[in-house]
Amino acid sequence: MQRTYKTGTYADRQSQDMSTRFDTKIAVLLREDLETWQRLNVTAFLVSGLGSQVPELIGEPYEDADGVAYLPMFRQPVLVFEGTEETLTAARTRALSRALPRALFTGDLFSTGHDDANRAAVRAVPTADLDLVGLAVHGPRNAVDKVLKGARMHP
């Protein structure tokens, strides 16, 4: 059973074609002071935004050996980063200047209960005053890397 949960050696991963390099990158940047449940919640909400607006990110549906169907998922990995409030603000500014597809999550959304209230909470605050706790971006690898300058991989 233990082998089931291990990723194997580097050579094993290479032989399984896990070294695929994509021309684009999906990245989530989280504010470093979030609680664990908040990090998970924010990540889930943010990537749903990218998937809905960039259909080419979505792969084909899954099916198990018994023919049970499952929904399609992203066709490439989602990389999760963390940073300070200042890092998030700078990343949002760089994402906007590069016109990259992006999703945001603000601190106000932790206290809303539905989608209409979420949109109203964001709409009520000027861009510069948003309490950013998460940002997701998609685009060419080098552009996303520049947006994420100063962020670090999530532990």
Side-chain angles (χ1 to χ4, degrees), residues 14 23 25 51 73 82 100 103 111 123 126 130 135 144:
Q14 293 301 309
D23 293 336
K25 184 181 275 189
M73 296 184 283
E82 68 176 2
L100 294 177
S111 62
R123 190 177 302 114
L130 290 168
L135 179 73
V144 173

Side-chain angles (χ1 to χ4, degrees), residues 14-88:
Q14 293 301 309
S15 68
Q16 295 171 5
D17 196 26
M18 293 180 75
S19 63
T20 301
R21 184 172 169 96
F22 294 93
D23 293 336
T24 62
K25 184 181 275 189
I26 301 170
V28 173
L29 175 57
L30 302 170
R31 200 169 69 197
E32 64 189 359
D33 62 346
L34 297 178
E35 297 291 330
T36 301
W37 73 267
Q38 292 173 318
R39 291 170 185 257
L40 296 169
N41 185 265
V42 170
T43 300
F45 269 94
L46 289 173
V47 297
S48 72
L50 289 178
S52 69
Q53 292 301 303
V54 189
E56 64 270 17
L57 289 178
I58 307 299
E60 296 296 319
Y62 288 74
E63 183 176 299
D64 66 25
D66 294 323
V68 176
Y70 301 92
L71 294 173
M73 296 184 283
F74 287 130
R75 63 178 180 82
Q76 68 185 84
V78 175
L79 302 173
V80 182
F81 296 82
E82 68 176 2
T84 63
E85 182 178 347
E86 294 78 18
T87 302
L88 266 163

Side-chain angles (χ1 to χ4, degrees), residues 75-141:
R75 63 178 180 82
Q76 68 185 84
V78 175
L79 302 173
V80 182
F81 296 82
E82 68 176 2
T84 63
E85 182 178 347
E86 294 78 18
T87 302
L88 266 163
T89 300
R92 183 205 40 225
T93 300
R94 291 190 289 265
L96 288 169
S97 72
R98 288 171 172 77
L100 294 177
R102 63 208 166 269
L104 85 158
F105 199 101
T106 68
D108 294 334
L109 303 186
F110 289 124
S111 62
T112 57
H114 55 85
D115 192 45
D116 289 337
N118 289 350
R119 283 194 308 281
V122 172
R123 190 177 302 114
V125 181
T127 304
D129 297 331
L130 290 168
D131 176 25
L132 289 176
V133 298
L135 179 73
V137 295
H138 170 259
R141 292 181 62 81

